[in-house]
Short mmCIF file of all heavy atoms in Angstrom, two decimals:
data_model
loop_
_atom_site.label_atom_id
_atom_site.label_comp_id
_atom_site.label_asym_id
_atom_site.label_seq_id
_atom_site.Cartn_x
_atom_site.Cartn_y
_atom_site.Cartn_z
N LEU A 1 88.27 253.76 133.87
CA LEU A 1 87.80 252.52 133.27
C LEU A 1 86.28 252.60 133.22
O LEU A 1 85.65 252.97 134.21
CB LEU A 1 88.25 251.32 134.11
CG LEU A 1 87.85 249.92 133.64
CD1 LEU A 1 88.58 249.57 132.35
CD2 LEU A 1 88.17 248.89 134.72
N ILE A 2 85.70 252.25 132.07
CA ILE A 2 84.26 252.44 131.93
C ILE A 2 83.61 251.20 131.31
O ILE A 2 84.21 250.52 130.47
CB ILE A 2 83.95 253.70 131.08
CG1 ILE A 2 82.47 254.05 131.14
CG2 ILE A 2 84.42 253.52 129.65
CD1 ILE A 2 82.15 255.42 130.56
N ALA A 3 82.41 250.90 131.79
CA ALA A 3 81.59 249.82 131.23
C ALA A 3 80.36 250.42 130.59
O ALA A 3 79.65 251.21 131.22
CB ALA A 3 81.20 248.83 132.32
N LEU A 4 80.08 250.06 129.34
CA LEU A 4 78.94 250.57 128.60
C LEU A 4 78.01 249.42 128.23
O LEU A 4 78.45 248.28 128.03
CB LEU A 4 79.39 251.28 127.32
CG LEU A 4 80.39 252.43 127.45
CD1 LEU A 4 80.76 252.93 126.05
CD2 LEU A 4 79.83 253.54 128.30
N ASP A 5 76.74 249.72 128.12
CA ASP A 5 75.78 248.77 127.57
C ASP A 5 76.06 248.65 126.07
O ASP A 5 76.04 249.64 125.34
CB ASP A 5 74.36 249.26 127.81
CG ASP A 5 73.30 248.27 127.35
OD1 ASP A 5 73.24 248.00 126.12
OD2 ASP A 5 72.55 247.77 128.20
N LYS A 6 76.33 247.44 125.60
CA LYS A 6 76.75 247.28 124.20
C LYS A 6 75.65 247.63 123.20
O LYS A 6 75.93 247.96 122.05
CB LYS A 6 77.25 245.87 123.96
CG LYS A 6 76.18 244.80 123.91
CD LYS A 6 76.75 243.46 123.52
CE LYS A 6 75.66 242.40 123.36
NZ LYS A 6 76.22 241.08 122.99
N LYS A 7 74.38 247.56 123.62
CA LYS A 7 73.28 247.81 122.70
C LYS A 7 72.93 249.29 122.60
O LYS A 7 72.45 249.74 121.55
CB LYS A 7 72.05 247.02 123.14
CG LYS A 7 72.24 245.51 123.09
CD LYS A 7 70.99 244.78 123.55
CE LYS A 7 71.18 243.28 123.50
NZ LYS A 7 69.99 242.53 123.97
N THR A 8 73.19 250.05 123.67
CA THR A 8 72.78 251.46 123.69
C THR A 8 73.93 252.44 123.84
O THR A 8 73.78 253.62 123.53
CB THR A 8 71.81 251.70 124.85
OG1 THR A 8 72.50 251.48 126.10
CG2 THR A 8 70.61 250.77 124.77
N GLY A 9 75.07 251.98 124.35
CA GLY A 9 76.19 252.88 124.65
C GLY A 9 76.04 253.60 125.97
O GLY A 9 76.89 254.41 126.34
N ASN A 10 74.97 253.31 126.72
CA ASN A 10 74.77 253.96 128.02
C ASN A 10 75.79 253.45 129.05
O ASN A 10 76.16 252.27 129.05
CB ASN A 10 73.35 253.70 128.54
CG ASN A 10 72.30 254.37 127.67
OD1 ASN A 10 72.56 255.37 127.02
ND2 ASN A 10 71.10 253.79 127.65
N GLU A 11 76.19 254.34 129.94
CA GLU A 11 77.16 253.98 130.98
C GLU A 11 76.53 253.05 132.02
O GLU A 11 75.45 253.32 132.53
CB GLU A 11 77.68 255.24 131.66
CG GLU A 11 78.70 254.99 132.75
CD GLU A 11 79.18 256.27 133.39
OE1 GLU A 11 79.47 257.25 132.64
OE2 GLU A 11 79.27 256.31 134.64
N VAL A 12 77.21 251.94 132.30
CA VAL A 12 76.79 251.00 133.34
C VAL A 12 77.51 251.32 134.64
O VAL A 12 76.92 251.40 135.71
CB VAL A 12 77.04 249.54 132.92
CG1 VAL A 12 76.63 248.57 134.04
CG2 VAL A 12 76.30 249.22 131.63
N TRP A 13 78.85 251.47 134.56
CA TRP A 13 79.64 251.95 135.69
C TRP A 13 80.92 252.58 135.18
O TRP A 13 81.32 252.35 134.04
CB TRP A 13 79.91 250.85 136.73
CG TRP A 13 80.57 249.58 136.25
CD1 TRP A 13 79.97 248.37 136.03
CD2 TRP A 13 81.96 249.38 135.94
NE1 TRP A 13 80.87 247.44 135.60
CE2 TRP A 13 82.11 248.02 135.56
CE3 TRP A 13 83.09 250.20 135.96
CZ2 TRP A 13 83.36 247.48 135.19
CZ3 TRP A 13 84.33 249.66 135.59
CH2 TRP A 13 84.45 248.32 135.22
N LYS A 14 81.54 253.37 136.04
CA LYS A 14 82.78 254.06 135.69
C LYS A 14 83.65 254.17 136.93
O LYS A 14 83.17 254.52 138.01
CB LYS A 14 82.48 255.46 135.13
CG LYS A 14 83.70 256.27 134.73
CD LYS A 14 83.26 257.63 134.17
CE LYS A 14 84.44 258.50 133.78
NZ LYS A 14 84.01 259.82 133.28
N LYS A 15 84.95 253.85 136.80
CA LYS A 15 85.88 253.90 137.91
C LYS A 15 87.09 254.77 137.55
O LYS A 15 87.76 254.53 136.53
CB LYS A 15 86.36 252.49 138.29
CG LYS A 15 85.24 251.55 138.74
CD LYS A 15 84.63 252.01 140.05
CE LYS A 15 83.51 251.08 140.49
NZ LYS A 15 82.90 251.50 141.77
N ASP A 16 87.36 255.78 138.39
CA ASP A 16 88.56 256.58 138.19
C ASP A 16 89.80 255.75 138.47
O ASP A 16 89.79 254.85 139.32
CB ASP A 16 88.53 257.80 139.12
CG ASP A 16 87.45 258.79 138.74
OD1 ASP A 16 87.06 258.82 137.56
OD2 ASP A 16 86.99 259.54 139.63
N ARG A 17 90.87 256.06 137.75
CA ARG A 17 92.14 255.34 137.93
C ARG A 17 93.27 256.33 138.17
O ARG A 17 93.24 257.46 137.67
CB ARG A 17 92.45 254.50 136.68
CG ARG A 17 91.55 253.28 136.56
CD ARG A 17 91.62 252.64 135.19
NE ARG A 17 92.96 252.30 134.72
CZ ARG A 17 93.62 251.21 135.07
NH1 ARG A 17 93.08 250.34 135.91
NH2 ARG A 17 94.82 250.96 134.57
N SER A 18 94.27 255.90 138.92
CA SER A 18 95.42 256.75 139.24
C SER A 18 96.53 256.61 138.20
O SER A 18 97.59 257.22 138.35
CB SER A 18 95.97 256.37 140.62
OG SER A 18 96.36 255.00 140.66
N GLU A 19 96.30 255.82 137.15
CA GLU A 19 97.33 255.59 136.14
C GLU A 19 97.55 256.80 135.24
O GLU A 19 96.65 257.62 135.05
CB GLU A 19 96.94 254.39 135.26
CG GLU A 19 96.69 253.12 136.02
CD GLU A 19 97.89 252.64 136.79
OE1 GLU A 19 99.04 252.84 136.32
OE2 GLU A 19 97.72 252.06 137.88
N ARG A 20 98.74 256.85 134.68
CA ARG A 20 99.01 257.80 133.60
C ARG A 20 98.88 257.05 132.28
O ARG A 20 98.24 256.01 132.21
CB ARG A 20 100.38 258.44 133.81
CG ARG A 20 100.44 259.23 135.13
CD ARG A 20 101.77 259.87 135.36
NE ARG A 20 102.08 260.90 134.36
CZ ARG A 20 103.21 261.61 134.34
NH1 ARG A 20 104.14 261.40 135.27
NH2 ARG A 20 103.41 262.51 133.41
N THR A 21 99.48 257.55 131.22
CA THR A 21 99.30 256.98 129.89
C THR A 21 99.60 255.49 129.84
O THR A 21 100.64 255.04 130.31
CB THR A 21 100.19 257.72 128.88
OG1 THR A 21 99.78 259.08 128.79
CG2 THR A 21 100.08 257.08 127.50
N VAL A 22 98.67 254.74 129.28
CA VAL A 22 98.82 253.31 129.06
C VAL A 22 98.29 252.98 127.67
O VAL A 22 97.27 253.53 127.25
CB VAL A 22 98.03 252.51 130.13
CG1 VAL A 22 97.88 251.05 129.73
CG2 VAL A 22 98.72 252.60 131.49
N TRP A 23 98.98 252.10 126.95
CA TRP A 23 98.53 251.67 125.61
C TRP A 23 98.04 250.23 125.60
O TRP A 23 97.62 249.71 124.59
CB TRP A 23 99.66 251.86 124.59
CG TRP A 23 100.04 253.29 124.40
CD1 TRP A 23 99.40 254.22 123.62
CD2 TRP A 23 101.12 253.99 125.01
NE1 TRP A 23 100.02 255.44 123.70
CE2 TRP A 23 101.10 255.33 124.56
CE3 TRP A 23 102.14 253.62 125.89
CZ2 TRP A 23 102.03 256.28 124.96
CZ3 TRP A 23 103.06 254.57 126.29
CH2 TRP A 23 103.00 255.89 125.82
N SER A 24 98.11 249.58 126.72
CA SER A 24 97.66 248.20 126.83
C SER A 24 96.13 248.12 126.77
O SER A 24 95.44 249.06 127.15
CB SER A 24 98.15 247.61 128.16
OG SER A 24 97.58 246.35 128.41
N SER A 25 95.62 246.99 126.30
CA SER A 25 94.17 246.76 126.27
C SER A 25 93.77 245.85 127.42
O SER A 25 94.51 244.94 127.79
CB SER A 25 93.75 246.11 124.95
OG SER A 25 94.06 246.96 123.86
N PRO A 26 92.58 246.05 127.99
CA PRO A 26 92.09 245.16 129.05
C PRO A 26 91.72 243.80 128.47
O PRO A 26 91.53 243.66 127.25
CB PRO A 26 90.86 245.89 129.59
CG PRO A 26 90.38 246.70 128.43
CD PRO A 26 91.60 247.10 127.65
N ILE A 27 91.63 242.79 129.33
CA ILE A 27 91.17 241.48 128.89
C ILE A 27 90.13 240.95 129.86
O ILE A 27 90.10 241.34 131.03
CB ILE A 27 92.31 240.46 128.73
CG1 ILE A 27 92.87 240.05 130.10
CG2 ILE A 27 93.40 240.96 127.82
CD1 ILE A 27 93.68 238.76 130.06
N ILE A 28 89.28 240.07 129.38
CA ILE A 28 88.37 239.31 130.22
C ILE A 28 89.04 237.98 130.53
O ILE A 28 89.40 237.23 129.61
CB ILE A 28 87.01 239.08 129.53
CG1 ILE A 28 86.28 240.42 129.36
CG2 ILE A 28 86.16 238.11 130.32
CD1 ILE A 28 85.84 241.06 130.67
N TRP A 29 89.23 237.68 131.82
CA TRP A 29 89.89 236.46 132.25
C TRP A 29 88.85 235.52 132.87
O TRP A 29 88.40 235.75 133.97
CB TRP A 29 91.00 236.78 133.25
CG TRP A 29 91.76 235.59 133.75
CD1 TRP A 29 91.85 234.35 133.17
CD2 TRP A 29 92.55 235.52 134.94
NE1 TRP A 29 92.65 233.52 133.92
CE2 TRP A 29 93.10 234.21 135.01
CE3 TRP A 29 92.86 236.45 135.94
CZ2 TRP A 29 93.92 233.80 136.06
CZ3 TRP A 29 93.68 236.04 136.99
CH2 TRP A 29 94.22 234.74 137.05
N LYS A 30 88.49 234.48 132.12
CA LYS A 30 87.56 233.48 132.63
C LYS A 30 88.40 232.33 133.19
O LYS A 30 88.83 231.44 132.43
CB LYS A 30 86.62 233.00 131.52
CG LYS A 30 85.70 234.11 130.99
CD LYS A 30 84.77 233.58 129.91
CE LYS A 30 83.90 234.69 129.32
NZ LYS A 30 82.93 235.24 130.26
N ASN A 31 88.66 232.37 134.48
CA ASN A 31 89.52 231.36 135.10
C ASN A 31 88.70 230.34 135.89
O ASN A 31 87.47 230.36 135.86
CB ASN A 31 90.58 232.03 135.98
CG ASN A 31 89.98 232.90 137.07
OD1 ASN A 31 89.14 232.47 137.85
ND2 ASN A 31 90.39 234.18 137.11
N LYS A 32 89.38 229.46 136.58
CA LYS A 32 88.68 228.37 137.27
C LYS A 32 87.86 228.86 138.47
O LYS A 32 87.03 228.12 139.00
CB LYS A 32 89.68 227.32 137.74
CG LYS A 32 90.68 227.81 138.78
CD LYS A 32 91.61 226.70 139.19
CE LYS A 32 92.56 227.16 140.29
NZ LYS A 32 93.46 226.06 140.72
N GLU A 33 88.10 230.11 138.91
CA GLU A 33 87.41 230.64 140.08
C GLU A 33 86.26 231.59 139.72
O GLU A 33 85.21 231.58 140.38
CB GLU A 33 88.41 231.39 140.98
CG GLU A 33 89.55 230.52 141.50
CD GLU A 33 89.10 229.50 142.53
OE1 GLU A 33 88.02 229.69 143.11
OE2 GLU A 33 89.83 228.51 142.74
N ARG A 34 86.45 232.42 138.68
CA ARG A 34 85.48 233.47 138.38
C ARG A 34 85.85 234.15 137.06
O ARG A 34 86.85 233.79 136.43
CB ARG A 34 85.48 234.52 139.52
CG ARG A 34 86.82 235.23 139.65
CD ARG A 34 87.01 235.91 140.97
NE ARG A 34 88.35 236.48 141.07
CZ ARG A 34 88.94 236.81 142.20
NH1 ARG A 34 88.32 236.65 143.35
NH2 ARG A 34 90.17 237.31 142.20
N THR A 35 85.07 235.14 136.68
CA THR A 35 85.38 235.97 135.52
C THR A 35 85.88 237.33 136.00
O THR A 35 85.26 237.95 136.87
CB THR A 35 84.15 236.16 134.63
OG1 THR A 35 83.74 234.88 134.13
CG2 THR A 35 84.45 237.06 133.45
N GLU A 36 87.01 237.81 135.45
CA GLU A 36 87.62 239.06 135.88
C GLU A 36 87.89 239.96 134.68
O GLU A 36 88.12 239.48 133.57
CB GLU A 36 88.94 238.79 136.61
CG GLU A 36 88.82 237.81 137.77
CD GLU A 36 90.16 237.56 138.46
OE1 GLU A 36 91.04 238.45 138.41
OE2 GLU A 36 90.33 236.46 139.03
N LEU A 37 87.89 241.26 134.92
CA LEU A 37 88.31 242.26 133.95
C LEU A 37 89.67 242.78 134.41
O LEU A 37 89.77 243.40 135.46
CB LEU A 37 87.30 243.41 133.89
CG LEU A 37 87.68 244.62 133.05
CD1 LEU A 37 87.79 244.26 131.57
CD2 LEU A 37 86.66 245.75 133.24
N VAL A 38 90.72 242.48 133.65
CA VAL A 38 92.09 242.79 134.07
C VAL A 38 92.66 243.92 133.24
O VAL A 38 92.58 243.91 132.00
CB VAL A 38 93.00 241.56 133.98
CG1 VAL A 38 94.41 241.89 134.46
CG2 VAL A 38 92.42 240.40 134.80
#
């Protein structure tokens, strides 16, 4: 999973994952407690 600066494309952070093939898209969840990337 990777986060890029939208203006430059530079990497902000990157996290390895143990998952295999997935076709689902992530979502931003702005809930009553906080904002999450799911």
Side-chain angles (χ1 to χ4, degrees):
L1 180 68
I2 190 168
L4 304 176
D5 184 296
K6 73 174 185 181
K7 297 179 180 179
T8 65
N10 294 333
E11 180 180 315
V12 178
W13 55 256
K14 180 179 179 181
K15 298 294 179 179
D16 292 335
R17 287 167 53 82
S18 59
E19 304 299 326
R20 298 180 65 180
T21 296
V22 166
W23 295 279
S24 171
S25 299
I27 71 162
I28 293 293
W29 181 20
K30 296 181 183 293
N31 58 54
K32 64 179 184 179
E33 300 290 340
R34 63 198 175 199
T35 298
E36 307 179 27
L37 172 65
V38 182

